[in-house]
Amino acid sequence: MLLATVLSIALSLAADAALVAIGTRVFPSTKGYGHFQFHDYAKLTVIGVLIACAAWPVVARLSSAPRWLFFRLAILVTLFLWLPDIYIWHQGQQAKAVLVLMAMHLAIALVTYNLLVHLAPVRAPRGVAAARTATEAPSR
């Protein structure tokens, strides 16, 4: 879980930085955009990733189909996080800059979801795993 969390933060920040670099190159008018400053998006990215990483074990423990549920929750949360982006666009922010912000949210969700479900997979509770091992022991 710790490895998945650390990698999720690092790779999400790297994806954000790459999208800002691509966005400002493709849309030169977005250079200097306030939300593209590392300190601005980094703190929100870290907070969001930590929340997702805390949610994964809870979902895994409570659901009989945790990947199915977590995937749908990731979609819902991403759509919810696009609402402030849409709001600032509606308030007059550059559409091109807002599209990059939306792409950053999507990238963070993709990175974090995949690292969590693959590096911190659901494991059977200890009692269930021990019982399964005992019943699967070879007989003589």
Side-chain angles (χ1 to χ4, degrees):
M1 193 60 212
L2 181 62
L3 177 63
T5 300
V6 170
L7 284 175
S8 291
I9 290 170
L11 294 177
S12 290
L13 289 171
D16 284 348
L19 286 166
V20 167
I22 293 166
T24 55
R25 187 158 177 103
V26 172
F27 308 120
S29 63
T30 63
K31 283 185 181 164
Y33 183 64
H35 293 297
F36 288 173
Q37 302 302 313
F38 181 79
H39 64 85
D40 189 70
Y41 65 77
K43 62 184 169 197
L44 296 173
T45 296
V46 170
I47 291 168
V49 169
L50 289 175
I51 291 169
C53 290
W56 171 236
V58 173
V59 170
R61 184 144 180 96
L62 297 177
S63 175
S64 61
R67 285 179 71 165
W68 180 91
L69 178 58
F70 198 64
F71 180 72
R72 279 145 185 86
L73 288 171
I75 292 169
L76 285 174
V77 169
T78 302
L79 293 173
F80 180 77
L81 291 173
W82 281 352
L83 293 176
D85 297 336
I86 293 167
Y87 176 77
I88 65 171
W89 169 66
H90 181 62
Q91 294 297 312
Q93 298 285 318
Q94 292 184 53
K96 294 171 184 176
V98 171
L99 286 174
V100 174
L101 290 175
M102 293 174 86
M104 290 165 71
H105 282 117
L106 181 60
I108 294 164
L110 290 170
V111 165
T112 303
Y113 170 82
N114 280 295
L115 285 171
L116 287 172
V117 300
H118 294 291
L119 291 181
V122 176
R123 291 187 176 39
R126 286 184 185 202
V128 173
R132 194 176 294 147
T133 303
T135 60
E136 294 173 0
S139 57
R140 293 182 193 200

